[in-house]
Amino acid sequence: VSWTAMIAAYSQHGCAEEALQLFHQMRLEGVMPDEITFVSILSACGSPEGLAEGRQMHAYIVCSGLESDVVIGNALVSMYG
């Protein structure tokens, strides 16, 4: 099972904290997130409690050069709501 699949599953089932922990573990292991990973993690940051983490993800997306990706842009709009 891939990192992204697990992050997406946690996000879709309302387990935002677990999704974020897994994302950070993925990064510690040196695995680079792709567009789908970012979309999944952004959906986990959609609550008011997750907004600070979502802003950090947004900055990471910009640093990764993916801010112009349409799917990520839609996920950011949904997150900021």
Side-chain angles (χ1 to χ4, degrees):
V1 178
S2 75
W3 290 100
T4 299
M6 291 296 298
I7 291 168
Y10 279 133
S11 295
Q12 290 172 0
H13 288 92
C15 301
E17 188 172 322
E18 290 85 349
L20 290 165
Q21 288 174 352
L22 195 59
F23 180 85
H24 292 301
Q25 182 64 37
M26 178 185 87
R27 293 296 302 126
L28 287 173
E29 302 250 346
V31 178
M32 296 298 297
D34 62 11
E35 292 88 345
I36 304 304
T37 310
F38 280 124
V39 168
S40 298
I41 203 65
L42 288 172
S43 71
C45 298
S47 69
E49 302 84 31
L51 190 56
E53 190 77 34
R55 287 184 178 131
Q56 291 177 355
M57 291 298 158
H58 189 176
Y60 187 39
I61 288 166
V62 171
C63 290
S64 299
L66 296 171
E67 71 274 9
S68 62
D69 183 278
V70 173
V71 177
I72 290 178
N74 286 337
L76 285 166
V77 168
S78 293
M79 181 193 75
Y80 285 120

